[in-house]
């Protein structure tokens, strides 16, 4: 695995742990695209809450910002686990960063019909009805349970990402005609080697 952070100036035979600097360079994951079966199967529950999970969360935020998304689920980077990150400010407000391990919607209210897209289905959007308000119960990287409430775009992002963890894509919420149209176009793009 290439790692830019370790420049080998000394040919050390033993690895000595150097203290962590404030923000190590992040790994930018390529986003898995529609057609990969990992996107359509439920992720495994997160069981290990450790520094590795913390690193994964930060790498996922970096990957999400790089792709200009507002949410990213682990299956979208090829990891079939119930883990997602959300930031509807797109990185503008560090306090808006939300990490969700094993999230579940515990309460939903209202309906909003709004256009939605997905980093795994680039170039296609569709209108999806989502709750206006949701309450989500999840665990943080330390395994502690918390509840968070989301409204409008945040509620939509929570629902979209939790869908991913259940192997559901927004295409499944579209009408059959629209869904089939998008699928046909993707098939064509695949044939042309553009997907
Ligand atoms: Zn998505």
């Amino acid at each position: 695995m290439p790692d830019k952070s370790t420049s080998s100036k000394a040919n050390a035979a033993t690895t000595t742990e150097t203290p962590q600097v404030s923000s190590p360079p992040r790994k930018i994951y390529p986003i898995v695209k529609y057609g990969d079966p990992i996107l359509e199967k439920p992720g495994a529950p997160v069981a290990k809450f450790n520094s590795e999970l913390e690193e994964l969360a930060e790498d996922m935020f970096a990957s999400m910002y790089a792709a200009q998304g507002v949410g990213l689920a682990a299956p979208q980077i090829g990891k079939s686990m119930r883990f997602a990150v959300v930031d509807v400010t797109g990185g503008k407000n560090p306090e808006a960063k939300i990490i969700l391990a094993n999230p579940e919607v515990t309460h939903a209210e209202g309906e909003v019909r709004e256009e939605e897209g997905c980093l795994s289905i680039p170039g296609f959007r569709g209108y999806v009805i989502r709750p206006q308000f949701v309450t989500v119960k999840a665990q943080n990287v330390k395994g502690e349970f918390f509840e968070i409430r989301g409204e409008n775009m945040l509620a939509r992002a929570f629902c979209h990402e939790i869908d991913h963890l259940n192997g559901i894509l927004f295409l499944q919420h579209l009408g059959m005609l629209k869904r089939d149209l998008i699928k046909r176009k993707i098939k064509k793009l695949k044939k042309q080697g553009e997907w």
Side-chain angles (χ1 to χ4, degrees), residues 34-195:
Y34 175 74
D36 189 315
I38 199 168
L39 292 175
E40 294 180 79
K41 71 171 200 180
V46 176
K48 283 187 189 154
F49 297 90
N50 49 24
S51 60
E52 220 172 279
L53 190 66
E54 243 166 278
E55 290 296 310
L56 175 64
E58 289 310 319
D59 289 343
M60 283 173 68
F61 277 117
S63 306
M64 179 184 84
Y65 297 140
Q68 299 186 339
V70 295
L72 185 66
Q76 292 183 279
I77 55 159
K79 294 179 189 289
S80 191
M81 55 197 277
R82 305 187 72 79
F83 193 63
V85 297
V86 170
D87 178 357
V88 292
T89 73
K92 288 191 187 87
N93 175 9
E95 283 173 25
K97 289 166 78 179
I98 300 162
I99 297 169
L100 303 169
N102 304 323
E104 272 175 60
V105 172
T106 55
H107 182 78
E109 226 180 293
E111 279 187 354
V112 181
R113 187 174 178 269
E114 195 52 76
E115 220 180 20
E116 198 169 305
C118 178
L119 293 178
S120 294
I121 313 173
F124 297 96
R125 299 179 69 79
Y127 280 90
V128 178
I129 296 170
R130 299 280 191 189
Q132 187 182 2
F133 303 96
V134 293
T135 305
V136 171
K137 186 184 171 190
Q139 283 166 282
N140 63 19
V141 285
K142 292 185 168 66
E144 299 158 343
F145 283 93
F146 66 98
E147 261 193 347
I148 186 164
R149 202 169 144 86
E151 186 181 346
N152 294 321
M153 194 182 179
L154 186 56
R156 179 168 298 273
F158 286 157
C159 293
H160 181 109
E161 299 316 321
I162 292 171
D163 266 1
H164 270 302
L165 309 186
N166 293 322
I168 297 167
L169 299 168
F170 85 88
L171 294 182
Q172 276 154 269
H173 295 290
L174 304 178
M176 209 167 62
L177 283 177
K178 175 79 174 175
R179 184 172 60 228
D180 287 350
L181 179 70
I182 293 177
K183 284 186 178 178
R184 266 206 310 278
K185 285 185 177 170
I186 291 173
K187 213 178 225 177
K188 201 172 160 195
L189 287 171
K190 265 187 194 163
K191 233 180 228 168
Q192 296 164 342
E194 290 166 25
W195 188 262

Side-chain angles (χ1 to χ4, degrees), residues 4-38:
K4 281 186 278 179
S5 65
T6 51
S7 57
S8 52
K9 46 182 171 184
N11 195 8
T14 51
T15 322
T16 40
E17 280 291 337
T18 43
Q20 278 283 310
V21 280
S22 54
S23 54
R26 304 268 52 130
K27 178 175 167 66
I28 305 294
Y29 285 95
I31 311 283
V32 171
K33 278 188 186 175
Y34 175 74
D36 189 315
I38 199 168

